[in-house]
Amino acid sequence: MANATNALMQGDSRRRFTDKLARLSVTGGGLVVLFALLLIFFYLAYVVLPLFKSPEVTVNKALDLTFHQQPAQLGVDENGQLGFRYSQSGALTIFSLEGKDKVVMRQQLTDSPTSFFAQHTTAGITAYGLSDGSVVFHRLRFISHYTDGKRSFTPDIKMLGSVQLSLVKKPITQLSFSDHNDARIIAGLSGDQIHVLVEKGDVETLRTVIDSDPSAKILVTPNGRKLFELVGNNLNVYAISSSGVQRRESVDIDLVTGHKPTGMALLAGGHSLLIRLDNGTIGQWFDVVKAKARSMTLAREFPTVKGDLAVEAHRNVFANLAPDGVLSLWHAPSESRDVFDFPQLASSVDMMAFSPRADRLLIEQQGRLDLLTVDNPHPDVSIRSLWQQIWYEGYSEPDYVWQSTSGNESFEGKLSVVPIVFGTIKVAAFSLIFAVPLAIGGAIYTAYFMPSRLRKVVKPTIEIMEALPTVILGFLAGLWLAPIIEKNLPAVFLIFVSLPISFLLVALVWAELPKKWRRKIPDGGHLFLLIPLILSLGYLAFIVGPYIEQHFLGGDSRVFVTDVLGVNFDQRNAIVVGLAMGFAVIPTIFTIAEDAIFSVPSHLTNGSLALGATHWQTLTRVVLLTASPGIFSAIMMGLGRAVGETMIVLMATGNTQLMEWNPFEGLRTLSANIAVEMPESEVGSSHYRVLFLTAFILFSFTFLFNTVAEFVRQRLRDKYRAL
């Protein structure tokens, strides 16, 4: 007896130890999962937060250099070690920005010039206009070399020759030029005429003269296709081509803005023109297509005060320094502004310029130079640019745009996350429209009506579908299913319409059949009647489809959709991805919902039937209500799967960033966008961090869906627990 008691106590102690170990293991595993989720959350936030850091501008130092001649251009070399200054009198000065301030080189390039122009704000080709109507060109480079293991730079200035721009040999008072595709387009104001010269190599291909005004200001765009002339209140736009120079349009700035223009400058890339008004305001103008023709349009205005302007070389950012020392830093498309107050810089500004990397700002005031350090790594990203409509260059109106890369070096990314969030919601909606009725209906029939022997075959078969690689589903959808749907649109829609109607008609006929006939069919045997029906309807739809297309859709359903209905049609569209994604989501929803319905206690169904309820009444008023928490969880799990799926949407859609509910158009989702663009993004760039932001949004979506699902499931469970 004692031995039996001891054995029992030892068994109890071992059981308690095992239970405690299992409890600790489950708790520890849950904590590890929670810690991993928090780690992912904080890492994503760590990468994303620098996007929203405010810019910082600080005074680096005042250079111990003084100049007595008016500046024509200021600049900094690519590595920020040397600065350069062209003067209006034709002198070039190179000076050090590191260590002790000193002049590295000083050279007189030409005598008594009458004008100056540099194509870029960085070191490169510059031109001086002379009093005899000629133009002389120079090129400045900084050659790197190593001494004692240290990298240093040596300036190299070279004369590139000269051209006779004004044949009457009058002084060139205004000058602008462009080097593009081995062609040089030169425009110079001499007296009351603008002389335009186009050279390709050493061959003159075009020379023309435009009547103007001695007070005019001129600018040639970097691509050499347009010439802007600001004279009085009018902005004249000339188109430059191989056939000549034609005035495209004239805009009265005073009529549009109510103020007179005083100056103009080009933003990075030369697609936008900044025009300063007499009240200090700066307007951004660019071409917009109106009535199938390009027209210069005022896109936005920046409420600045009178001051000096500096434009970044590679981004649509400009700075305005007022005489009271207030520096405004603007990003043009998003209209974001940051203001900095420097009382020590309160003076009239002769000139200022950004360094090529936009990390320094060189300012000259009354012959004295000051160097500012600029920390503004992500000016193109803000809450407004991410979530609101922005009017970008070349667009006819404000829009949500995701376009992160381009073949053009002057391109600045457009990083609105709205189109890809919309695409994620769209693909989830279309996939659930297809998957939820089939999955829930199949789960109800399998769990409640299907014979147990057949259920043991059907349920594992559907669950095995979940093991299919999504890359295979995407491959089949993109290369096999999409062409079939494109070629057989009427047949596809006939199938979607005819199948539900046929099922209802068959159900009505079945209900009207005599009971003795129905009893002759074994349990589950009616499925073998429906399967041939489905196959026959599908075959019949593909037979009838071409007839409908020929007689009612003009012989081509795609042309009918595009031209008659006015709906764009892409081969890889939302219908294709909805079918493929629905096929991937069905096993998830079916398995969870079927388990929930099958787990409803039998005493509830038996009690309902015993009280006289029909099977259908028992299903709708007892079984589904009791299983509703599990059914809702199944749908939310399917939604989470659809939102996070990558390979299917990557291969079965055109990956176009569209915001249309049109089922015939493509889309791009958060997950597919990350998969496509992450390999080509530069680490630490705005593009890179915005991709992490989209990952953060995707993570938040799934977390939100799971939280809502659990909350609703608990509420439904508490509500129907009494059953």
Side-chain angles (χ1 to χ4, degrees), residues 547-593:
Y547 175 83
I548 295 176
E549 185 176 39
Q550 185 66 35
H551 290 82
F552 298 99
L553 303 180
D556 192 326
S557 56
R558 178 167 181 174
V559 173
F560 179 84
V561 169
T562 304
D563 295 345
V564 178
L565 300 182
V567 176
N568 293 328
F569 186 97
D570 297 327
Q571 185 187 72
R572 301 185 181 186
N573 50 51
I575 293 177
V576 175
V577 73
L579 292 174
M581 184 74 76
F583 192 81
V585 168
I586 281 174
T588 301
I589 301 176
F590 172 85
T591 301
I592 300 174

Side-chain angles (χ1 to χ4, degrees), residues 692-718:
F692 270 85
L693 175 62
T694 59
F696 183 84
I697 295 171
L698 183 60
F699 180 85
S700 301
F701 269 8
T702 55
F703 181 80
L704 177 64
F705 292 152
N706 291 333
T707 302
V708 170
E710 181 62 20
F711 175 76
V712 175
R713 188 182 69 84
Q714 291 292 345
R715 293 292 299 269
L716 292 174
R717 185 189 231 176
D718 294 340

Side-chain angles (χ1 to χ4, degrees), residues 635-656:
I635 296 174
M636 295 302 291
M637 289 293 290
L639 178 60
R641 170 77 186 274
V643 167
E645 177 56 45
T646 303
M647 294 309 300
I648 293 177
V649 293
L650 189 62
M651 303 179 71
T653 69
N655 284 313
T656 50

Side-chain angles (χ1 to χ4, degrees), residues 435-448 450 458 462 590 594 597:
V436 168
L438 293 179
I440 299 300
I444 292 171
Y445 180 79
T446 304
Y448 191 70
M450 184 175 287
V458 172
I462 297 178
F590 172 85
E594 201 275 344
I597 296 170

Side-chain angles (χ1 to χ4, degrees), residues 216-273:
K217 298 177 177 63
I218 60 174
L219 276 176
V220 176
T221 57
N223 59 15
R225 296 177 182 175
K226 285 185 291 188
L227 168 65
F228 295 114
E229 177 197 21
L230 187 62
V231 52
N233 295 330
N234 292 324
L235 173 67
N236 298 319
V237 183
Y238 293 88
I240 303 175
S241 63
S242 58
S243 60
V245 180
Q246 301 292 330
R247 189 166 78 171
R248 196 188 74 184
E249 63 177 312
S250 181
V251 181
D252 190 332
I253 304 297
D254 189 12
L255 182 64
V256 175
T257 65
H259 295 278
K260 300 182 182 299
T262 59
M264 61 179 177
L266 288 170
L267 269 179
H271 302 293
S272 289
L273 187 67

Side-chain angles (χ1 to χ4, degrees), residues 5-56:
T5 303
N6 292 333
L8 183 60
M9 293 178 62
Q10 290 177 359
D12 291 341
S13 63
R14 283 196 298 268
R15 188 181 299 109
R16 286 194 298 271
F17 174 76
T18 304
D19 291 345
K20 186 175 181 180
L21 182 62
R23 186 166 55 253
L24 290 175
S25 299
V26 172
T27 304
L31 291 175
V32 169
V33 171
L34 181 61
F35 177 75
L37 291 175
L38 290 175
L39 193 62
I40 294 172
F41 179 86
F42 284 113
Y43 178 72
L44 292 175
Y46 169 77
V47 178
V48 169
L49 283 178
L51 286 173
F52 306 103
K53 179 184 176 183
S54 298
E56 295 180 1

